[in-house]
Amino acid sequence: MTFSRRLIHASLLAALALGGGAFAQDKTPLKIVVGFPPGGSADTLARLLGEHLRDQYAPIVVENKPGAGGRIALNLVKRAEPDGHTVIVLPSGPMVLFPHVYKKLDYDAVKDFSPVSLIANFQFGVVAGPASKAKTVGEMVQAAKAQPGVASYGTPGLGTLPHFMGVLFEQQVGAKLNHVPFQGGGPANTALLGGHIDYKFDVVSETAELHRTNKVRILAVTGAQRDPQVPEVPTLKESGIDMVATAWFAMYGPANMNPAARDRLSKAVAAAVKTPALRERLLGLGYDAVGSTPAELAAAQAADLKRWEAPIKATGIQLD
């Protein structure tokens, strides 16, 4: 090969290398922090979402920082650079319940974070176990009013979303139940199946299979519409109880997140969850895919902060 041909060949290789490098640089690194262990709902959602964002972002790393109900992860993201490279995927509880529950919360749920996008909504079920004879919510309420504080309901823990679903339910129906907190949804399920508690408030997907196999009975769901996992189960509204309460998963970044990076990511998330493949996958997990603008997520958070203030104050619960 002559010198001139070698020079042209080298130039072409360099151009191709630069072209490939420039193409790779179009993708932005993204770290998605999750405040719960691998395999949980938030972790599963983060990883599914990550798979559908790889056309625009790379590398994508899902980093689990479990502990304190998600607060450890939130503080990590709170301190991150607001350049759009670090975000968190989490359920709504830490953003709308914890500000009312904890005396000294180490973050401000509004001021310390930038809303990016809603990911999915989900609802809860009012679940009766073998210890209860109730076949409908009406029968459950009637029995509870006849013997206030006798019927018990279990939740994954004090101050959790299911706990306050139970509190809101009590307020709406005017009946008193006995709350029994457990260390997670698994132990609560075991107690329900064993007849140690009468009812449970929990995410529908956690008990849908037990309902289908007649081990428990989901008496009603808390959303505005019936849940496709258990379409035969009425809503509380259909059961004559004026209550609609759902929760959501969303993505946030640090405060003052770069607007261009935030908007690009928001659009990418909204587009991803609206693809048929991811929408169907989420539906199978019991989640209603949403996707939103940052402003829509901020509005949803503000509405739920207001919604939960009175029920939580009514319990007198204040955690350190």
Side-chain angles (χ1 to χ4, degrees), residues 79-162:
R79 296 189 297 268
E81 289 294 324
D83 52 12
H85 296 324
T86 304
V87 293
I88 187 169
V89 166
L90 78 170
S92 53
M95 306 305 280
V96 303
L97 295 185
F98 288 6
H100 302 307
V101 172
Y102 287 92
K103 296 176 185 176
K104 297 178 181 179
L105 197 60
D106 47 6
Y107 62 85
D108 187 302
V110 175
K111 295 180 181 178
D112 288 339
F113 302 96
S114 297
V116 176
S117 178
L118 284 163
I119 299 171
N121 291 330
F122 60 99
Q123 57 180 312
F124 294 78
V126 183
V127 188
S132 170
K133 295 179 180 179
K135 299 294 191 296
T136 66
V137 169
E139 291 178 4
M140 171 188 176
V141 172
Q142 185 178 12
K145 286 183 175 180
Q147 294 182 296
V150 173
S152 58
Y153 74 94
T155 69
L158 190 70
T160 59
L161 269 166

Side-chain angles (χ1 to χ4, degrees), residues 206-257:
E206 294 294 326
T207 46
E209 185 58 31
L210 292 172
H211 170 82
R212 284 191 285 266
T213 55
N214 297 314
K215 292 184 174 73
V216 302
R217 299 180 303 280
I218 301 178
L219 305 180
V221 294
T222 64
Q225 307 292 331
R226 293 192 180 199
D227 193 297
Q229 298 173 96
V230 286
E232 73 282 1
V233 176
T235 66
L236 285 173
K237 279 271 194 181
E238 290 175 315
S239 304
I241 297 169
D242 188 18
M243 173 178 162
V244 175
T246 58
W248 36 263
F249 281 96
M251 179 182 285
Y252 287 82
N256 303 312
M257 188 173 172

